[in-house]
Amino acid sequence: MMFVILALFVAGAYGCGLPTYPPVISRVVGGDDVRENSWPWQVSLQYRSGSNFYHTCGGTLISDQWVLTAAHCIGSRTYRVYLGKHNLKNSNEPGSIAISPGKIVVHENWDSYRIRNDIALIKLSTPVTLSDSIMPACLPNSGDILDHGAPCYVTGWGRLWTGGPIADILQQALLPVVGHSTCTKYDWWGSLVTDSMICAGGDGQLASCNGDSGGPLNCQNPDGSWDVHGVVSFGSSMGCNYPKKPSVFTRVSDYISWINNVMTSN
């Protein structure tokens, strides 16, 4: 229960996973511009090139000072974390703030060749003030497994189609969970997908795409709050919506102990 207590403590009056402006969601598969501030834990991880910063990955605020993202999003570049963003082209959005990382912790067993343990934590250099536009998502219980077909939503500024441009406006898309027994079939993802991963969407439905990496797979609890069950990890090199190749996420519920250990020791 440590992570629950920690999340409640840092979230204060705002709690976790309960946006002031709830997302407008649909059970119809399709990508949409989101309602502003409806996914207030979504962040844009940006890298510096010259005098400018550019979006490279998504991430999820899980406390007032920690952001969850994918290990493959982290390199030797100079980064900043933009919180409270809706339109990436609007540099003066009220309620948004860019904060530099104080520390970045990539999972010690990250394997880029086999795509294993694709998870990282970013400690912000200063805690962020929680608000209607910036608040953390909840973490799932350790070991939680989602049912096949569970309605979850991916959010991010990724490409709207294979080869297309990065989106300016934050997007959301319904990605029903694909059960492990289906996703690991030989003509689906086979042995590339492990028990530490979640498959969702794809196979004629929408999928995450370039630029969504590191962002959350958001799944709603019966009480209306949202857990971040997945971190966007990889998809098919043949396209963002290829048959039998759903999006693959790092399963957050398999890393709760690791998350707690990193947060408490840093």
Side-chain angles (χ1 to χ4, degrees):
M1 294 298 291
M2 181 192 299
F3 77 92
V4 176
I5 296 170
L6 179 63
L8 291 175
F9 174 76
V10 298
Y14 281 95
C16 67
L18 288 169
T20 302
Y21 306 100
V24 178
I25 58 175
S26 170
R27 292 294 188 256
V28 177
V29 174
D32 300 291
D33 291 357
V34 309
R35 179 186 187 184
E36 197 161 355
N37 299 326
S38 61
W39 304 101
W41 43 84
Q42 173 79 49
V43 311
S44 169
L45 180 63
Q46 304 182 350
Y47 68 92
R48 188 171 69 188
S49 179
S51 58
N52 296 315
F53 279 86
Y54 300 92
H55 173 83
T56 184
C57 279
T60 307
L61 186 71
I62 58 171
S63 80
D64 65 348
Q65 201 167 4
W66 286 95
V67 169
L68 185 65
T69 190
H72 79 263
C73 290
I74 304 301
S76 58
R77 292 166 159 169
T78 297
Y79 295 99
R80 72 178 182 184
V81 177
Y82 225 129
L83 305 105
K85 288 299 293 176
H86 179 69
N87 185 341
L88 291 180
K89 284 195 171 180
N90 184 352
S91 60
N92 295 306
E93 283 186 308
S96 66
I97 185 172
I99 302 178
S100 60
K103 187 169 189 176
I104 299 177
V105 182
V106 173
H107 196 285
E108 59 276 10
N109 293 322
W110 159 232
D111 182 341
S112 60
Y113 180 73
R114 296 189 305 151
I115 319 177
R116 300 288 190 261
N117 302 302
D118 190 7
I119 191 168
L121 282 166
I122 301 172
K123 185 178 185 180
L124 303 175
S125 56
T126 57
V128 66
T129 300
L130 302 182
S131 65
D132 291 344
S133 57
I134 300 172
M135 65 179 71
C138 300
L139 294 175
N141 292 317
S142 181
D144 275 359
I145 301 291
L146 296 166
D147 293 334
H148 179 86
C152 297
Y153 293 81
V154 66
T155 50
W157 290 274
R159 301 183 192 282
L160 301 177
W161 61 88
T162 305
I166 293 290
D168 296 331
I169 304 296
L170 184 61
Q171 304 287 304
Q172 66 183 38
L174 170 63
L175 264 61
V177 170
V178 177
H180 189 73
S181 60
T182 297
C183 198
T184 53
K185 289 180 178 178
Y186 78 95
D187 56 340
W188 285 62
W189 280 115
S191 61
L192 188 59
V193 166
T194 71
D195 290 338
S196 298
M197 301 173 184
I198 300 173
C199 300
D203 199 31
Q205 303 171 359
L206 289 186
S208 57
C209 204
N210 304 88
D212 288 327
S213 286
L217 181 67
N218 306 282
C219 309
Q220 196 167 27
N221 294 306
D223 67 358
S225 64
W226 292 87
D227 288 346
V228 52
H229 268 273
V231 176
V232 178
S233 182
F234 66 89
S236 174
S237 61
M238 294 174 285
C240 298
N241 189 12
Y242 199 79
K244 299 185 178 181
K245 293 295 183 285
S247 299
V248 182
F249 301 77
T250 303
R251 180 165 66 85
V252 175
S253 67
D254 199 43
Y255 292 88
I256 296 301
S257 293
W258 180 81
I259 291 170
N260 285 333
N261 289 337
V262 171
M263 291 173 68
T264 54
S265 62
N266 289 280

